[in-house]
Amino acid sequence: GQQVMQIPQYQHVQEGEDFTTYCNSSTTLSNIQWYKQRPGGHPVFLIQLVKSGEVKKQKRLTFQFGEAKKNSSLHITATQTTDVGTYFCAGFGGFKTIFGAGTRLFVKA
Amino acid sequence: DGGITQSPKYLFRKEGQNVTLSCEQNLNHDAMYWYRQDPGQGLRLIYYSQIVNDFQKGDIAEGYSVSREKKESFPLTVTSAQKNPTAFYLCASSIDRWQAPLDGYTFGSGTRLTVV
């Protein structure tokens, strides 16, 4: 069945370092969404990508959707302690949303 | 402010006991969902509902039941048939099921269920 794989599972960075998480789908997606979940919290919507090759930025966060609409990435430049949490991708295809397992980001001050 | 309210925040269940998790939304969304979250895993869909008095099984429905008697409410019952119910349960909503919502799924703050 449809799967969305997300890597890495964990990432430890020093404050100021960059961070990237990747999502790969087994099937072509209509769109992909990204969410952030703070420790002890619930997922909060960050952004949606729809077009092939699309790139969107939110301050220090850069989101990309692959040309084949099967992969996506989230890159954080110069991480801050407020970036800690788990970042999930959610791929939508066939009227169904599949969430990746998430990448948990730890930031050391 | 519109949103989703889940209660209780923490719930303890004894072996063999049924428990019900509450989910209420005032967003006027047609679609509502229940997800289960376990450490190191993505969100797994338990049940979803597209409209009042209708609901469908998700990927891991065994041991769970739901009802949708009102548009605003979508309670989840964890039955004694669910052998490993300890998890974080998230309720979510969207305008409808047939397209990914432009502003994302709205999640409640979750219920953490523990079997004692």
Side-chain angles (χ1 to χ4, degrees), chain B residues 61-73:
Chain B
E62 186 175 352
Y64 300 98
S65 66
V66 293
S67 63
R68 188 87 185 276
E69 297 176 1
K70 299 186 300 180
K71 186 174 185 177
E72 303 79 17
S73 179

Side-chain angles (χ1 to χ4, degrees), chain A:
Chain A
Q2 184 181 3
Q3 289 186 338
V4 173
M5 306 299 293
Q6 191 171 352
I7 58 170
Q9 188 175 6
Y10 301 97
Q11 183 84 58
H12 292 257
V13 300
Q14 195 76 29
E15 188 174 25
E17 292 181 340
D18 292 356
F19 160 77
T20 305
T21 173
Y22 302 89
C23 268
N24 291 289
S25 171
S26 58
T27 59
T28 301
L29 300 169
S30 298
N31 54 56
I32 195 160
Q33 297 182 343
W34 285 91
Y35 292 80
K36 177 183 179 182
Q37 184 176 20
R38 294 183 184 276
H42 58 278
V44 174
F45 174 74
L46 294 176
I47 208 160
Q48 175 169 269
L49 304 172
V50 178
K51 299 176 183 177
S52 169
E54 188 170 13
V55 177
K56 287 188 176 181
K57 292 189 176 184
Q58 289 180 349
K59 297 183 181 179
R60 296 178 293 104
L61 277 61
T62 301
F63 304 85
Q64 292 188 327
F65 200 11
E67 294 289 342
K69 301 185 73 174
K70 295 180 73 174
N71 56 69
S72 181
S73 66
L74 158 59
H75 179 83
I76 302 178
T77 304
T79 54
Q80 300 175 357
T81 55
T82 53
D83 294 326
V84 298
T86 301
Y87 293 85
F88 293 95
C89 61
F92 186 84
F95 306 117
K96 189 175 182 180
T97 295
I98 303 292
F99 284 84
T103 296
R104 185 159 184 185
L105 173 63
F106 299 87
V107 180
K108 186 176 180 181

Side-chain angles (χ1 to χ4, degrees), chain B residues 1-18:
Chain B
D1 287 337
I4 295 183
T5 302
Q6 285 188 247
S7 62
K9 191 175 178 68
Y10 299 95
L11 186 58
F12 297 90
R13 193 195 91 167
K14 295 181 180 179
E15 294 282 352
Q17 197 176 43
N18 292 355

Side-chain angles (χ1 to χ4, degrees), chain B residues 6-8 11 13 16-23 33-36 46-47 55 60-69 73-83 85 89-91 111 113:
Chain B
Q6 285 188 247
S7 62
L11 186 58
R13 193 195 91 167
Q17 197 176 43
N18 292 355
V19 291
T20 298
L21 284 58
S22 171
C23 177
Y33 314 82
W34 274 104
Y35 287 95
R36 171 179 171 143
I46 304 172
Y47 268 98
F55 47 82
I60 56 166
E62 186 175 352
Y64 300 98
S65 66
V66 293
S67 63
R68 188 87 185 276
E69 297 176 1
S73 179
F74 191 41
L76 172 74
T77 297
V78 184
T79 75
S80 56
Q82 171 48 240
K83 297 306 178 189
Y89 291 87
L90 287 158
C91 180
T111 293
L113 174 62

